[in-house]
Structures are given as C-alpha cells and as structure tokens.
Amino acid sequence: MKIGMNMFLWTTHVSLDHEAFLRDIKVTGFDGVEVPIFEGDLQHYKDLARLLDDIGLDRTAVSAMGDPSMNLIGDASERASGVDYMRATLDKTHALGATLICGPLHSTLGHFSGEGPTVREFANSVSSQRLIGDHAADLGITVALEALNRFECYLVNTMDGLADHLAEIGHPNIRAMYDTFHANIEECDPIGALTRNAGRVAHIHISENDRGVPGRGNIPWRETYAAIGSIGYDGWLTIESFGRGLPDLAAATKVWRDFAETPEAVYRDGYKHIANSLGIH
C-alpha cells in the first residue's frame, strides 16, 4: 500500500510555491500527495509533475463540481457542460501524471433538489459516467466516485448505494472510493460497508470523524485497518483533513474551528498513525 496526503489541508491549487511543504511531506515518509484539480492549464500540471518527480512523490488527483450549471445528473445542457468539464479535468490529471482521480464526481456538491434522487437522475448519471469513463480509459485513468454524507449531496450517501449505481454504470474505469469520515456518518456498519463492496473500491481516504488528525478521534481504526487488510486492498491510503487557511474551502467543508495545533501535526502525526497501524517502521 501507498500512503498519501491530500493537499486540501493547504490549498485547492497546488503550485511550485508549495515546494517546501511537498519536500517536508516526502521527508515525513509519504509516498505521494493528492493534488486538487481545478484552475490552471495543462502546462501548469506538467510543471507540477516535474517538481513532484524531482522530489520523489507519486500522486493521485481529487476534484469536485460545485456549479449547478454543470450538474452531471441534471438536464441535457447541464450534463453536456459537466461532461466537458470532466474531460478537461481528466486531461489535467493526465498532465499531472496521475492515474487516479477521486471525489464526488457524480453530482453537484452542496446542491439539493429538496427530495431524494429520482429514477431519471440515476439514468442521467449512468449516461454521464459512461462518457466520462470512456475518456478516462483513453488516458489510462480510474475515476473513484465518493459516497458523501447526506448534508453534502443526495445522489449517493452509502457504499451500498454507490456500489449499486456503479453496477448500473458498468464501466471499468468508474469505480468507488471509501472515505472513513463519510462512512462514520452514514453507515450503520462502516466496516461491513467496506468489506461488502471491496470489489468496487479503488481508493481509500483516511479521515478522522472531525476531519482532524487521524487517530485522535472515534473512528474504529483497529477494525478499519484489519478490514483493509482482509480484503486484499493494495492501493492508496490518503489522509484527507481540512483547516481554516482558505476561507472559501473552510466554508465549503463547514470547518469553523481548528482541528489540530498546526497543519504539520496533521500530516506528521497522521503518517505515524497509519504507519504504526500497518506495522511500517
């Protein structure tokens, strides 16, 4: 397995200015970082890829869609805009040198209809995801869709629901991500949610119940790591944590207080937590 650090802790736009953080993440022991894909052209991500290669950090990508005019489960115009946006996002992911992108890339983050998902919305999602999956396949990229808690989205909130939807989509490049934070909110049995759907899982986020330092909260970590081992998972374990450094991101993730004494504590203590849990010394 590889241990990664999601850069959302600092920014939604990683640049060469973050070199010092990136080098310290490498020194801490991480195998790679998870890079947000939003603004920036292809050359920006190619330049960032060269820096990461120089440091010796592998990478995955993460993104989200917050504009209802690009809703992948909306009307035909919204879906077309959303698919175009995702194709461009995948092109940037490829320029970065990543082969996996994760996130709630199935519907508009924080946008609600006032009721649960409809048959039509699921059908629209199938159509959108198959088009996205084809472009991802051309680039050698896996898209790991994320089940979010009910306060952030309404299309898929549980791993069982996500797995059922992936079966409808039926595309090998569209798979699932398991996130311990969201599972802790939505799943009656977070461990069973992982093991039941192991065949769909392409990526795992290690996130504490308060989105702070992994290992300091109430996630059942011993059972979680045992389950990860039992299913034969050999992908990334990526820490996702949030802070108040960026007001817009803090507002979007509902972060109103500091969850750790410093950002360094999050990734340094978080790395120790994962490494000790896996028996890496």
Side-chain angles (χ1 to χ4, degrees):
M1 281 181 277
K2 294 182 178 181
I3 303 176
M5 183 67 208
N6 187 303
M7 294 297 290
F8 274 150
L9 183 61
W10 295 274
T11 185
T12 57
H13 184 62
V14 182
S15 71
L16 304 187
D17 293 338
H18 293 97
E19 181 175 352
F21 287 119
L22 294 167
R23 290 193 179 278
D24 195 56
I25 287 169
K26 175 63 178 180
V27 169
T28 299
F30 285 90
D31 298 293
V33 290
E34 193 151 272
V35 177
I37 305 288
F38 293 103
E39 59 188 289
D41 58 15
L42 293 180
Q43 189 58 52
H44 168 81
Y45 291 99
K46 290 178 182 177
D47 292 342
L48 184 56
R50 281 193 288 271
L51 174 62
L52 294 175
D53 288 342
D54 179 65
I55 295 172
L57 286 171
D58 201 349
R59 75 240 38 171
T60 58
V62 62
S63 193
M65 304 172 71
D67 184 351
S69 71
M70 299 188 299
N71 195 354
L72 292 169
I73 65 173
D75 64 29
S77 175
E78 292 166 354
R79 295 198 308 276
S81 295
V83 170
D84 285 345
Y85 176 85
M86 277 302 303
R87 285 175 174 148
T89 299
L90 288 167
D91 290 342
K92 295 175 184 179
T93 301
H94 186 255
L96 179 68
T99 59
L100 182 142
I101 184 169
C102 64
L105 301 170
H106 43 66
S107 55
T108 303
L109 180 64
H111 177 68
F112 296 91
S113 67
E115 58 185 26
T118 64
V119 172
R120 170 54 57 190
E121 286 174 323
F122 276 120
N124 288 346
S125 178
V126 169
S127 175
S128 296
Q129 293 301 326
R130 287 176 179 171
L131 293 172
I132 294 166
D134 287 345
H135 193 65
D138 289 341
L139 298 174
I141 294 171
T142 295
V143 179
L145 299 181
E146 182 177 18
L148 294 187
N149 71 76
R150 80 199 84 158
F151 308 108
E152 297 183 40
C153 89
Y154 69 96
L155 185 70
V156 284
N157 301 130
T158 67
M159 289 300 294
D160 287 345
L162 177 57
D164 288 346
H165 190 43
L166 289 175
E168 288 185 280
I169 294 166
H171 198 294
N173 289 74
I174 306 295
R175 298 187 65 194
M177 174 169 71
Y178 178 80
D179 184 296
T180 57
F181 169 81
H182 295 292
N184 182 65
I185 296 172
E186 294 295 338
E187 306 288 357
C188 294
D189 177 10
I191 306 304
L194 172 61
T195 57
R196 280 194 307 275
N197 299 295
R200 300 284 183 187
V201 175
H203 196 54
I204 293 177
H205 269 179
I206 300 298
S207 188
E208 193 51 90
N209 69 286
D210 64 352
R211 285 182 156 162
V213 182
R216 294 187 183 180
N218 65 21
I219 299 293
W221 290 116
R222 185 187 302 275
E223 295 85 352
T224 297
Y225 288 114
I228 290 170
S230 74
I231 64 175
Y233 178 80
D234 195 33
W236 286 92
L237 298 179
T238 297
I239 295 173
E240 184 183 52
S241 182
F242 296 94
R244 295 193 299 164
L246 289 176
D248 288 347
L249 182 58
T253 54
K254 308 299 185 290
V255 173
W256 314 125
R257 67 186 189 278
D258 293 324
F259 298 129
E261 53 275 25
T262 63
E264 288 78 10
V266 175
Y267 68 85
R268 291 173 184 166
D269 289 0
Y271 177 84
K272 291 176 185 176
H273 159 74
I274 296 177
N276 288 340
S277 297
L278 298 178
I280 299 172
H281 302 289

